Each structure stands twice: as structure tokens, then as C-alpha cells.
Amino acid sequence: MTTRVLTGVTTTGTPHLGNYVGAIRPAIEASRKADVDAFFFLADYHALIKCDDPARIERSRIEIAATWLAAGLDPERVTFYRQSDVPEITELNWLLTCVTAKGQMNRAHAYKASTDINEAAGEDPDHGVTMGLFCYPILMAADILMFNAHKIPVGRDQIQHIEMARDVAARFNHTFGQGRELFVLPEAHIEEHVATLPGLDGRKMSKSYDNTIPLFEGGAKAIKDAIARIVTDSKLPGEPKDPDNSHLVTIYEAFASAGEVAAFRAALMAGLGWGEAKQQLVQLIEREIAPMRARYEALMANPEQIEELLQIGAQKARAIATPFLTELRHAVGLRRFNAIAKPADHAEKAKAALPLFKQYREADGRFYFKLTSHDGRVLLQSAAFDAGRDAGQWVGKLKKEGAAALNDAPVSLGDGIAHADVAAALALLAAE
Ligand code: TRP
């Protein structure tokens, strides 16, 4: 089974080397796995929460798009789009807002951090807090649930948001699903083996510490200049250095093979000067980044090309979002009036008399489904599933493929039911 993995990047800044090592590179690697169906999007609605400078929003969106493409994201393979090109996401945002407890949003870390600062400063707790910031986690839940993503690779600061998305999904399923799981419950995925890259001063590389190494901005020279500013101890060339106590080595390790790391460490212990070590680090980083920089510059010189790729991505995303949203609108009661059942309407009665799939959960905590005939006889009974999603997928497959899917489906025929009865019932459903 493929896992749907979804990643969003808020488009407020310009990517630096720490973003590349900590997020971009591992995400692109993961997207190449055969069993992964990857979704990448530019969270540009989220950007509006943090930034009211249109020029910066515009610049950041294109820079981030070009960066991911230059770093090897394959838009043919993954679904790559801008959040603001998929209006279904904001519509879903509202449906979710209506089932989200305000008290839960009061406890969101990002919001709490703002009110804590205000309180410490003797201000009104909500001073400067927009409704966008307050509702941030709901929009994020909409991003995730719109595509029924299973796995969300995030940093630790985002775990609470994924938990909130799960809660909202569960509440929506419970309220409107009528036993069906409309939404998959997403899980946060923390990349344990990806180290955070230290910045020039040894603290985590971050724009707010002003200790970053640029990725593409300013070209090779900017990388070289930043590396020249990496803080080291004052040992002279010829003096042995301690590689375990140098963040320059940690940065080196993020780009080198095991053999190169061993040689570099040995050279430092043998007295390699810091100036020379920095030159080697520049070369090492350039080996990986220079070819990407060339692609980045070509893309930035050609915005129409990026636009076209993102338009194709939006189409792919909407091919999923549009029908799903129709289903969700129906589930909450926003239905076309001509779909309302009229008691005297024979066609509607006939519809009500169709065979029916039911998904449910037993006291054993496991998930099941069954197919019943119009008069309530059990035609098919499923085995137990650990995940409701799996039960749902079999139902989908049986509906779509009919009797052909019966061979490998984990189901048994009801008492006194023949294979042909089931095949006929499935055919009736398929004709619907
Ligand atoms: N909040 C995320 C961040 O700041 C960005 C984001 C928005 C996101 N929507 C998302 C991440 C959905 C994952 C899934 O990093």
C-alpha cells in the first residue's frame, strides 16, 4: 500500500542551508521512495498570517518553488502546488472551523506564546493577535485532511498541530460520517536521523539568530563569505584540533561521505589550519550545491515555467479535492435540493432499496464492513482490520471493481448467499 505523505512550507523567507539539510533534502529523498505518494505545497495562505508585505510574499513563493525544483523535486512524480490555488482548502477550513472547540485553539502553542509575551509585558493578552493566527491550526488541518494524507513529516514544534488535525478529523467523522471514516487520521512523522545544522556561531541555524549560510542567494561567493565567518577556537595551523568540539565539522559531516569525514577529522587532529579547513568545506558544499544553483538560476530567470508546473500541480490536487469536497458538503447537509428524497418519488424509493455497504467498529476496537441487501440480509462480511482506513479501501475497491475484487478481498459470504448474489449486488451499486 502506498503512504500519502504531505509537506507544507510557509512562504515567508528565503531558504538557507539549514532548511536544505534539515527539511528540503530529506523530504525530496523520501518522495522518491516507490511506496510514497508525496504532496508538496507552498503554504501561502499561512504566510499571510505572519507577513503583510505583498512584495515579500511574492518573492518568497517563487524562491521556495524554484528551490524545491532545483533541489530535485520531481513535479511529475509528486503533486506540487500552491495552497492558494486550491480554493477547496479554504472551503474545508470553514467546515472544520465549525467542529473545532475554541478551548482547544486557546491551548495552541503558537497562540499561547503570543499571549504569554503580552501578559509579561502587561498588555492585553490578545494584543496584536489576528484571527488568522488564532485559527492557524484549523487551516493546517484543512491542508492535511483535504488530501487524506497519512504521514506528515514535521519538526517537533509542529506535533501539536498534527494532533489537533487528528482531533478535528475524528470529531468530523463522528459527527457527519454515519459510521464512515470521511477523513484519515494523520500522523506526525519526525525524522530522527536528520541532524539540525548548526549556524555560524554553533547555535541552530536560523534567520532569527542571524547565523545562516545562504543556499542560493548571493551565489558561491555568499557561501564562501559566510563560511569564513564560522566561529572556531584560536588554535594555530600545526596545533592539533578537537573535531568533536567544532560545529564546522558538524556542517562538514552533513555533506561528506563517511570516508571524507574520517579524513577531515584526522587532518584536524594532525594540525590542519582552520583557514584551510574552511576552504575544504566550501569545496565540499559547492560539489553538492553548485549544480542545483545553476538549475535555480535558470528557473528564476523563467518564472512562466514555474507557473506552468504549479498550474499542473493545482489541477492534479483539485482532481482529488473537488469531488471530495462535494462529498463533504453532502455529509454536512449542503446538498442540492433536487437530491432531497420525496416520499412519493418511486425512483428515490428504488434508490433506498439498493444494497448497502456499512463500515463499523466492534467492541474489540477493530474495524469491519459488511454488505447488506435491500431487505437487510448480510451478503458479505469482512474480516477484522486494525485500521479503519484499510476497511474503507476494500469497500472502495469492491464498489469500483465489483465481483472482480472478490477473489482477494478478506470477506466471507453471508449465510445461504451465493457468489452470484453478491456479484449482482455489486453490479447494482456500480451502476449507481
Ligand atoms: N505550519 C507549517 C510550518 O510552519 C507549515 C504548514 C502549513 C504545514 N500547513 C501544513 C506543514 C500542513 C505540514 C502540513 O512549518
Side-chain angles (χ1 to χ4, degrees):
M1 204 188 91
T2 61
T3 306
R4 191 168 280 179
V5 180
L6 178 137
T7 305
V9 186
T10 308
T11 53
T12 43
T14 300
H16 55 65
L17 209 61
N19 302 133
Y20 172 74
V21 169
I24 301 171
R25 190 172 63 183
I28 291 177
E29 265 167 32
S31 78
R32 295 199 174 121
K33 291 195 193 136
D35 58 348
V36 166
D37 176 19
F39 280 59
F40 282 89
F41 71 97
L42 306 172
D44 48 4
Y45 278 139
H46 277 103
L48 298 181
I49 295 170
K50 297 188 191 161
C51 173
D52 60 6
D53 173 0
R56 186 157 148 222
I57 296 280
E58 179 184 37
R59 182 95 202 132
S60 175
R61 286 162 103 220
I62 188 159
E63 281 178 354
I64 292 179
T67 297
W68 283 80
L69 291 167
L73 187 76
D74 178 359
E76 300 255 326
R77 208 185 136 75
V78 310
T79 306
F80 182 47
Y81 56 99
R82 283 176 297 221
Q83 186 185 31
S84 63
D85 283 338
V86 184
E88 289 82 359
I89 293 172
T90 34
E91 194 171 341
L92 175 58
N93 181 58
W94 183 253
L95 301 187
L96 299 180
T97 299
C98 295
V99 296
T100 302
K102 175 174 176 288
Q104 189 177 25
M105 294 300 104
N106 289 341
R107 292 186 287 277
H109 298 324
Y111 171 65
K112 280 277 290 162
S114 298
T115 57
D116 288 352
I117 291 170
N118 284 332
E119 271 165 10
E123 292 271 7
D124 181 279
D126 283 332
H127 175 74
V129 174
T130 63
M131 287 307 290
L133 175 66
F134 186 65
C135 299
Y136 184 108
I138 312 178
L139 181 57
M140 191 160 154
D143 293 331
I144 296 169
L145 303 181
M146 185 82 262
F147 299 102
N148 272 332
H150 308 127
K151 217 166 98 175
I152 320 298
V154 286
R156 299 200 174 277
D157 59 323
Q158 297 290 321
I159 296 179
Q160 190 196 33
H161 290 148
I162 311 302
E163 282 165 2
M164 288 175 159
R166 280 179 76 87
D167 284 356
V168 172
R171 199 161 320 124
F172 197 95
N173 285 347
H174 177 75
T175 311
F176 299 115
Q178 296 191 302
R180 270 193 322 148
E181 281 199 77
L182 290 163
F183 293 127
V184 164
L185 303 189
E187 269 166 40
H189 176 75
I190 311 286
E191 291 264 14
E192 299 289 356
H193 65 275
V194 175
T196 36
L197 202 67
L200 304 178
D201 55 1
R203 291 184 289 173
K204 176 185 174 189
M205 188 178 291
S206 158
K207 209 168 143 203
S208 47
Y209 295 149
D210 192 23
N211 66 355
T212 61
I213 301 175
L215 179 56
F216 300 134
E217 206 189 7
K221 181 168 184 315
I223 292 192
K224 191 158 174 261
D225 292 349
I227 287 174
R229 293 195 293 126
I230 293 179
V231 179
T232 62
D233 62 28
S234 51
K235 292 214 170 78
L236 297 173
E239 285 186 73
K241 323 238 164 2
D242 177 6
D244 288 326
N245 255 322
S246 162
H247 52 277
L248 188 146
V249 175
T250 314
I251 300 173
Y252 192 95
E253 284 169 350
F255 293 89
S257 67
E260 289 164 335
V261 170
F264 190 62
R265 286 173 157 265
L268 283 168
M269 287 190 281
L272 177 71
W274 286 124
E276 175 62 26
K278 286 180 175 180
Q279 277 184 31
Q280 290 187 17
L281 177 58
V282 171
Q283 278 169 17
L284 181 73
I285 294 179
E286 276 297 302
R287 179 178 77 190
E288 183 162 333
I289 300 299
M292 294 178 186
R293 184 186 302 120
R295 288 198 290 273
Y296 178 79
E297 281 163 6
L299 283 161
M300 287 299 277
N302 220 333
E304 321 71 56
Q305 194 190 341
I306 308 179
E307 181 63 35
E308 197 183 313
L309 289 173
L310 286 168
Q311 291 296 341
I312 295 171
Q315 270 175 29
K316 276 207 259 178
R318 295 192 72 190
I320 298 170
T322 310
F324 189 34
L325 193 70
T326 304
E327 200 182 332
L328 296 170
R329 288 177 62 113
H330 192 271
V332 300
L334 303 177
R335 301 167 191 163
R336 285 181 184 256
F337 290 163
N338 51 14
I340 289 180
K342 283 168 268 166
D345 187 333
H346 292 302
E348 289 301 327
K349 272 201 194 136
K351 205 171 196 173
L354 278 173
L356 190 67
F357 272 107
K358 282 192 196 135
Q359 284 179 244
Y360 56 96
R361 200 170 178 181
E362 286 286 26
D364 63 4
R366 308 184 76 193
F367 297 85
Y368 299 81
F369 65 83
K370 59 186 172 189
L371 175 65
T372 51
S373 64
H374 64 93
D375 52 1
R377 286 171 306 143
V378 175
L379 301 175
L380 276 184
Q381 169 65 57
S382 82
F385 295 89
D386 289 330
R389 196 200 302 147
D390 295 333
Q393 276 179 347
W394 273 112
V395 170
K397 199 167 150 76
L398 285 162
K399 278 186 183 163
K400 202 165 119 214
E401 296 172 18
L406 277 175
N407 283 340
D408 8 89
V411 290
S412 48
L413 298 179
D415 275 343
I417 301 293
H419 186 277
D421 298 332
V422 178
L426 290 172
L428 257 179
L429 280 178
E432 255 303 289

